[in-house]
Amino acid sequence: MRELEGIVAILDYTLDTKRKRHIVGGILLSISMLFGGFAFTVMTIGNEEEEHEEEC
């Protein structure tokens, strides 16, 4: 339980100003777009491999 309280305290301290919340939001948005790009790439590579196997 103390670990959870520690995490909440850190988040509260980290996001205590509007500027910090804006920076953290931008970082989270960038990370989500990065993983979305990875997912899209993996999905398109999988489709290309299946099409290539059907041609052979």
Side-chain angles (χ1 to χ4, degrees):
M1 188 68 173
R2 288 185 180 185
E3 294 86 14
L4 182 60
E5 291 175 3
I7 291 171
V8 170
I10 290 171
L11 287 174
D12 185 44
Y13 174 75
T14 304
L15 303 174
D16 63 348
T17 64
K18 190 173 185 177
R19 182 173 183 245
K20 288 180 183 178
R21 285 192 300 267
H22 185 75
I23 291 170
V24 171
I27 291 170
L28 292 174
L29 184 62
S30 297
I31 291 171
S32 67
M33 290 176 69
L34 174 72
F35 284 115
F38 283 149
F40 182 74
T41 302
V42 169
M43 288 176 14
T44 56
I45 288 175
N47 290 341
E48 289 176 4
E49 289 176 354
E50 290 175 3
E51 290 174 2
H52 180 68
E53 290 174 359
E54 291 174 1
E55 292 175 359
C56 292

